[in-house]
Amino acid sequence: MLWATLVFAGGVFVGHYAWRPPLWWLIAGLVFGFSAAYYCRRRARVGIALALSSLLVFGALTLQVRGSASDGITDASQFDGQDVVVTAHVIREGSLLREGAGDLQQKLDLEAEQIATDGRMLNLNLGIRASFYSKAASDAAAVTPAHDFRYGERIRFTTKLYRPHNFRNPGAFDYAGYLAENGIAVLASAKTAEVEMLPGFAGNRFELWRTRARHDVMQRIHLLWPEKEAALADAMLIGENAFVGRDLLTDFQRTGTYHVLVISGLKVSILALVTFWLLRRLRVSDFASAAIVVFLTVGYAVLTGVGAPVWRATLMLALYLCSRLLYRRKSVLNAIGIAALILLLIDPEALFGASFQLSFLCVLIITAIGTPILERTTQPVSSAVKNLDSIGYDFALPPALVQLRLDLRMVAGRLQRFLGPRVALPLLAITARIMLLGAEFLVISLVLQLGFTLPMAYDFHRATIVSLPASMLAVPLTEIALIACLAALGSSYASLHIAKLPVLIAGWSLQAMAGSVHWIGRLRISDTRVATPALWLTLVGLGALVLAMVLARKRWRLAATGLAVLAATAVWICAVPPRLQMRRGALEVTTIDVGQGDSILLVAPDGHTLLVDAGGIPQWMRSELDIGEDVVSPYLWSRGVSHLDAVAITHAHADHIGGMKAVLANFRPRELWMSANPPSAELDGLLREAKELKVAIAPLKAGDNFTADQLYFRVLAPAADAEGSARKRNDDSLVMSVQYGHTAALLEGDAEKESERRIAQQQPQADLLKVGHHGSATSTIPELLAAVHPRFAVISVGARNVYGHPRHEVLERLAESHIQTYRTDLDGAVTMYLDGETVTPRQPDR
C-alpha cells in the first residue's frame, strides 16, 4: 500500500505540472488497468508494473477532475475596494483578543447572504474574512463593551471589501490561495460598535454544538490557569494559539519543537496510548478498548476543529487498531499508505502542503529508519530486562542477553543489603527500562532531525540544530502537561477542589516546557536560517532519505552507510550556503514588493550584497505580519542569499525600518548604513539589536563618497546639518547614487521637495531613479528629473494604499519626461541590470 500510495502521489504531481484533457487520463488509466488484470496471472511483475502505472494515471486524473480549491470561489472583483453593506452570518469563530492599551479585536469568517452597493441588492454566498475592532475607553482601566461574535449569528455592517493581495515576489507565500482553500474570497474590517445584530440563526446545529463545546472548554481553561499557562493549554489542547505571543511561537519554531505546542499527531498518539493503557488495566476487552479509543479520538478531532493534522493521525490510528483486532500483521507502513491514499483521494492538492508532507514523513522516518535501528539495538535488551526473577526465561534468549540478566541479578544481590530483596531487583529493572526508553527517544529524535533537515530548510528556511536537546526536555514535559491538563479539566466539572492537584502539576509542567524552549531558543545557534536549497541538493537530499530507508533493514554496514549519507546531506544543507542567483558583470537593483514601503536589493558584479530598507507596517494598521520575516527574507532566501554584506536605512519611518530587525537576525550583515535620524523607540531598539549582533554602524551624510566592490557610492542627502532635526522627516532620508561603469541608479528613500532641490543642484545623472516617497506629490519635482535625466523609474508602492500613491501628477510628470516607469503594486518585484553601458529591466517570474 505504501508503494501504491507513492505512485498515486506521483500521478498527482504529474497532473499538477502537466495538464492533459481528463479523457486522455481516463483512457490511459483504463488501458493500464485492463492490461494489469490480463497479466496478473501470466506475468506477475508485468501486471504489478501496469497496475502501478494505472494508479499513477488515476492520480493525475483525480487532481484535474477535482480542480483547484479556488474554482468554487465567487468572483469578487466587482466589489474590490467598494463601499458596501454586507448582511452575513458567522461560519468560523475567532477569539476576542486584547491589543495595546485595551483595544479589542476579533477575526471571523463570514458567509455573505446579501451585499448592497450602488443601489443594487445582490444575493450571493461570498466567503469573507472580517476583523472587528473596539477602541479603548477614555478610562485606561476599562474598554468599551465589545460583542463576542459566535457561530451562526447574523449581522449587518458597512465596510469596504478587498480581494486578498499577494506580495508578488519569488518565494512569496500564496496568501490568496490559502484563503481560497478555506472558502474566503474577500477581506473586510469594521468597528464592533457599528455592527448591527440581526435576528435568527444561520448554520447547522451540529457545528453550533461543537463551537459551544469548544468555547466552554476554553472558558474552563482560563478559569483554571493564569493567563500564560492558559494560553499554552489552549494551544496544546484545542489548537487555539491566538493568545500565545509571537516571540514564544518563534522560540518553538527555532528549537524544532513547534509540534509539541500545536495540535498534531503527537497529541493524538499520547491520548490514545494513555486511554488504551488505562482501559486494559481496567480489564476492558481488546475490542471495547479499541472502539472506545477510536470514538474518543474522533470526538477530540471534532472538538478541536483543527482539521487535517488531527484527522490524519486519527485515520492512521483507526487503521492500526482495526488491523490489530483482525489479527493482521501490524504494519505501520501499510497504515501510512492506506491513510495517505484515502486523504489524497479526498483532497489531492494536500500533497503540496507542508503539513501533509511533514506528518507522513515523520511517521515514515520513525517506521522505516528508526524502528529497524531500535530492533537491532535497544529492543532486544528491553526484552532481556523483563521478568528478571524468572530463570526459565533465560533459556529463550541469546547468550549475550542471558549474561546481561545474570549481571543485573548480581548487582541486585549487592543492593539487597540496603534495599531488601523485594525492592532491589524490581527497582533495577525499572531503572534499566527508563534508561533504555531514554536511549530510544534519543535515537528517534536524532533520526527525525536528520530526516527533517531538507523539508525544514525548503519550507521554513530553518536549520533546527538544537531540536535534539530541546525535544528531550519539551516532549516529556508535554506528555506530563497534556495528561495533567486533561485530568484537571475532567475533574473540574465535578469539583474545583479536586482539580487543584492536576492544575498545579499541569501549570508547573507548562511553565517548565515554555521556559526550557525559551532558554534554548534564545541561544544564537538556535536561530540558524538557511536559504532555499538548490534543485540538485534537494534531489540529493530526497535520494539520501530514500537510501537510508531502504538500507535500514540491511546489514549493519549498509545501514550505517545510509545513515552516514543522510547525515552528510543534512550537514551540507545546514553549513554550506547555496550559490547566489545573480548576473555576473552587472549591478543588480531589485525593488522588492513590500506593499506600502521600501526595500531594495543591490547585488554587485562580484556577488556582494546590500539591502536598502526592509519595509514594514505602521502600528496603527494592526497587522500581525512582519514584513522583514514574512516578505523580504523569503525573497532573499529564494535567491540563494544566506548572508548580506551590508544593510542601509534611509530614514526611521516604520515602512522602511519595520522589517529590518528580522533581516539583521536572519542575514547577519557586517555593516549598517544610516543617515542622521532623531531618536525614536523603534530606531533605538533596532540599533541595540545591531550592537548585540556585532553589526558595525556607519553614519552617512551628503558629501561622503566611497568605492566598494567595483561600485562608486555618492551620498547626496541628508545635509551635514540634518542632525539638529527634532522630529522624523522624510527630508532626512539617506539618498545615494550608485554607479557602475557608465551606468548609475539614484535611490531617494522618501526625499521630498526640499531635499530634492539640493540633490538637483549636485547634478547626479542616473539611468535608474527609485522615485521618492512612493510617488507622492511632495516628491519627484521637475528640477530633479531635469538634473538626473533617468531612462527608467521604479515606484515602490502598496496596492490600494490609503494615501492615493502614486499620484497622477507624478505619473504624468514621468510620462512627459519619457521615463519608462515600473510599479511594485502592478509589476511586483522589479529587477534592473546595470552592466556599465546599458540598463536592462527584467521582472522575475512569479
Side-chain angles (χ1 to χ4, degrees):
M1 289 308 303
L2 180 62
W3 287 112
T5 303
L6 291 175
V7 171
F8 185 87
V12 173
F13 186 84
V14 171
H16 182 78
Y17 291 102
W19 186 90
R20 292 292 184 275
L23 184 60
W24 290 23
W25 296 115
L26 180 61
I27 293 173
L30 292 174
V31 169
F32 281 125
F34 285 121
S35 301
Y38 176 78
Y39 279 103
C40 68
R41 290 184 177 274
R42 294 168 176 83
R43 294 184 179 180
R45 292 185 179 180
V46 175
I48 291 173
L50 290 169
L52 292 176
S53 300
S54 177
L55 273 175
L56 186 140
V57 170
F58 279 115
L61 177 65
T62 303
L63 177 74
Q64 297 188 353
V65 168
R66 186 180 184 277
S68 173
S70 60
D71 290 348
I73 299 296
T74 305
D75 182 19
S77 56
Q78 58 180 318
F79 305 115
D80 196 25
Q82 290 192 24
D83 289 309
V84 297
V85 177
V86 176
T87 302
H89 57 269
V90 181
I91 59 174
R92 190 173 295 114
E93 298 178 0
S95 296
L96 190 63
L97 303 177
R98 189 177 301 276
E99 294 183 335
D103 294 358
L104 296 174
Q105 175 190 4
Q106 187 175 17
K107 291 187 177 181
L108 306 167
D109 286 353
L110 310 174
E111 183 177 308
E113 301 172 5
Q114 191 178 79
I115 296 179
T117 175
D118 297 333
R120 296 180 300 161
M121 198 75 72
L122 302 176
N123 297 318
L124 74 169
N125 296 327
L126 187 69
I128 304 173
R129 178 153 293 180
S131 298
F132 295 123
Y133 301 98
S134 297
K135 297 294 292 182
S138 56
D139 182 4
V143 296
T144 53
H147 181 77
D148 190 1
F149 296 97
R150 290 292 158 207
Y151 174 81
E153 289 183 339
R154 300 179 66 246
I155 58 176
R156 181 183 293 127
F157 60 99
T158 301
T159 185
K160 282 188 177 182
L161 297 180
Y162 293 105
R163 287 186 299 171
H165 172 70
N166 287 340
F167 292 95
R168 299 170 62 189
N169 306 308
F173 174 62
D174 184 9
Y175 181 57
Y178 164 75
L179 291 179
E181 290 178 359
N182 291 276
I184 303 300
V186 291
L187 306 175
S189 62
K191 294 180 180 179
T192 305
E194 298 175 357
V195 177
E196 178 187 358
M197 303 300 301
L198 300 177
F201 169 82
N204 65 76
R205 295 294 172 180
F206 177 80
E207 180 65 13
L208 177 63
W209 170 85
R210 189 197 69 80
T211 54
R212 285 182 176 177
R214 187 174 185 273
H215 186 64
D216 182 68
V217 171
M218 284 186 60
Q219 286 184 321
R220 180 70 54 165
I221 289 173
H222 286 264
L223 174 66
L224 295 175
W225 289 283
E227 184 177 350
K228 291 183 178 180
E229 288 86 345
L232 292 170
D234 283 338
M236 287 181 55
L237 293 178
I238 57 175
E240 177 59 79
N241 59 10
F243 300 101
V244 182
R246 176 157 183 156
D247 289 341
L248 185 57
L249 287 174
T250 302
D251 288 336
F252 277 94
Q253 292 168 350
R254 285 174 175 172
T255 56
T257 55
Y258 190 67
H259 60 286
V260 308
L261 181 64
V262 298
I263 298 294
S264 63
L266 173 68
K267 306 290 174 52
V268 176
S269 302
I270 293 173
L271 292 176
L273 178 64
V274 172
T275 304
F276 193 81
W277 182 84
L278 286 174
L279 291 171
R280 295 299 291 144
R281 297 287 81 76
L282 294 174
R283 307 289 184 180
V284 179
S285 69
D286 232 17
F287 179 83
S289 297
I292 292 172
V293 167
V294 172
F295 176 78
L296 292 178
T297 307
V298 171
Y300 179 67
V302 170
L303 177 65
T304 58
V306 175
V310 176
W311 285 113
R312 283 194 291 265
T314 303
L315 182 57
M316 281 191 285
L317 175 69
L319 290 170
Y320 182 83
L321 290 175
C322 288
S323 65
R324 186 175 185 275
L325 291 174
L326 297 173
Y327 303 102
R328 306 303 299 170
R329 185 168 60 91
K330 295 180 286 294
S331 171
V332 180
L333 292 177
N334 264 337
I336 296 171
I338 297 172
L341 185 59
I342 292 173
L343 292 171
L344 287 177
L345 287 169
I346 296 172
D347 182 12
E349 288 187 338
L351 176 67
F352 304 98
S355 175
F356 180 92
Q357 296 168 7
L358 292 177
S359 294
F360 284 102
L361 184 61
C362 175
V363 184
L364 197 58
I365 290 172
I366 293 174
T367 307
I369 302 177
T371 301
I373 294 175
L374 298 181
E375 288 175 349
R376 299 181 179 186
T377 54
T378 60
Q379 288 186 4
V381 181
S382 297
S383 63
V385 298
K386 295 178 180 177
N387 305 316
L388 282 177
D389 56 347
S390 173
I391 304 298
Y393 187 55
D394 293 0
F395 295 97
L397 299 173
L401 296 180
V402 175
Q403 183 62 52
L404 173 64
R405 291 169 62 84
L406 292 174
D407 292 339
L408 290 175
R409 290 187 190 120
M410 292 175 63
V411 173
R414 295 292 181 90
L415 293 176
Q416 286 181 7
R417 301 178 181 178
F418 309 98
L419 303 175
R422 294 185 177 181
V423 176
L425 195 58
L427 180 62
L428 197 61
I430 293 173
T431 304
R433 289 182 189 178
I434 293 174
M435 294 175 64
L436 288 168
L437 284 173
E440 291 180 354
F441 181 75
L442 182 64
V443 170
I444 294 297
S445 298
L446 180 59
V447 170
L448 280 174
Q449 181 168 344
L450 294 177
F452 270 21
T453 301
L454 176 62
M456 290 297 293
Y458 190 88
D459 291 320
F460 305 106
H461 305 288
R462 291 190 180 276
T464 52
I465 297 174
V466 297
S467 66
L468 187 59
S471 296
M472 293 189 69
L473 291 173
V475 171
L477 290 170
T478 301
E479 296 175 356
I480 297 172
L482 186 60
I483 296 170
C485 284
L486 290 174
L489 278 174
S491 58
S492 69
Y493 285 97
S495 170
L496 291 177
H497 294 288
I498 299 176
K500 284 185 177 180
L501 180 59
V503 165
L504 185 64
I505 296 173
W508 171 84
S509 55
L510 288 170
Q511 289 179 0
M513 179 191 67
S516 62
V517 169
H518 178 73
W519 175 71
I520 296 176
R522 295 295 98 186
L523 299 176
R524 183 70 56 85
I525 193 175
S526 68
D527 199 22
T528 303
R529 310 303 296 270
V530 294
T532 304
L535 177 60
W536 70 268
L537 185 57
T538 301
L539 296 176
V540 169
L542 290 173
L545 190 57
V546 173
L547 182 66
M549 292 180 180
V550 171
L551 297 181
R553 296 184 182 276
K554 305 295 182 181
R555 296 179 180 177
W556 263 115
R557 290 184 179 180
L558 294 176
T561 301
L563 285 175
V565 172
L566 182 62
T569 307
V571 171
W572 184 286
I573 292 172
C574 295
V576 181
R579 186 177 180 180
L580 174 66
Q581 299 175 21
M582 59 170 293
R583 180 178 293 185
R584 293 286 177 183
L587 165 64
E588 175 193 331
V589 181
T590 294
T591 305
I592 305 170
D593 178 14
V594 292
Q596 187 68 13
D598 268 12
S599 187
I600 303 171
L601 173 67
L602 279 72
V603 182
D606 61 357
H608 286 82
T609 52
L610 166 68
L611 184 74
V612 181
D613 292 330
I617 298 177
Q619 291 184 354
W620 61 267
M621 295 187 70
R622 298 186 180 93
S623 175
E624 298 176 1
L625 194 68
D626 184 332
I627 295 293
E629 175 68 29
D630 303 324
V631 180
V632 177
S633 293
Y635 170 72
L636 297 178
W637 284 320
S638 75
R639 291 285 308 278
V641 177
S642 56
H643 167 75
L644 289 168
D645 294 289
V647 294
I649 296 173
T650 57
H651 64 300
H653 282 174
D655 58 333
H656 292 252
I657 71 169
M660 189 59 76
K661 183 177 179 181
V663 169
L664 292 179
N666 292 338
F667 298 95
R668 308 295 169 90
R670 291 196 302 266
E671 293 182 334
L672 168 61
W673 304 351
M674 59 180 294
S675 65
N677 280 282
S680 69
E682 193 170 14
L683 179 61
D684 292 345
L686 181 63
L687 295 179
R688 282 195 301 270
E689 181 75 12
K691 290 179 180 178
E692 290 178 4
L693 296 173
K694 299 181 180 179
V695 179
I697 299 174
L700 300 176
K701 61 185 66 176
D704 292 339
N705 304 318
F706 55 93
T707 301
D709 308 320
Q710 306 177 49
L711 305 179
Y712 177 66
F713 289 85
R714 183 183 176 193
V715 182
L716 304 170
D721 60 351
E723 297 180 24
S725 176
R727 61 184 179 85
K728 295 186 287 185
R729 302 185 310 162
N730 288 328
D731 275 328
D732 292 331
S733 291
L734 175 66
V735 180
M736 297 185 296
S737 171
V738 187
Q739 184 175 345
Y740 176 62
H742 299 292
T743 54
L746 179 62
L747 311 179
E748 274 203 87
D750 276 0
E752 297 183 340
K753 295 177 181 178
E754 178 184 337
S755 181
E756 286 188 340
R757 290 192 182 96
R758 291 196 298 266
I759 295 169
Q761 294 172 2
Q762 303 176 56
Q763 297 295 314
Q765 293 192 2
D767 304 273
L768 171 64
L769 171 67
K770 202 294 294 183
V771 173
H773 199 197
H774 321 293
S776 167
T778 60
S779 303
T780 322
I781 60 175
E783 299 95 311
L784 179 75
L785 296 179
V788 177
H789 196 64
R791 293 165 47 214
F792 299 94
V794 180
I795 305 175
S796 183
V797 62
R800 304 186 302 260
N801 66 85
V802 297
Y803 308 102
H805 295 164
R807 298 298 295 268
H808 65 87
E809 55 264 41
V810 173
L811 296 175
E812 290 176 358
R813 207 175 295 153
L814 292 168
E816 290 170 358
S817 299
H818 305 289
I819 301 170
Q820 188 172 344
T821 303
Y822 294 85
R823 298 166 47 174
T824 57
D825 62 333
L826 300 179
D827 304 310
V830 179
T831 297
M832 299 283 180
Y833 294 109
L834 290 69
D835 63 6
E837 298 294 336
T838 60
V839 178
T840 306
R842 182 180 73 86
Q843 298 175 36
D845 297 332
R846 289 175 286 277

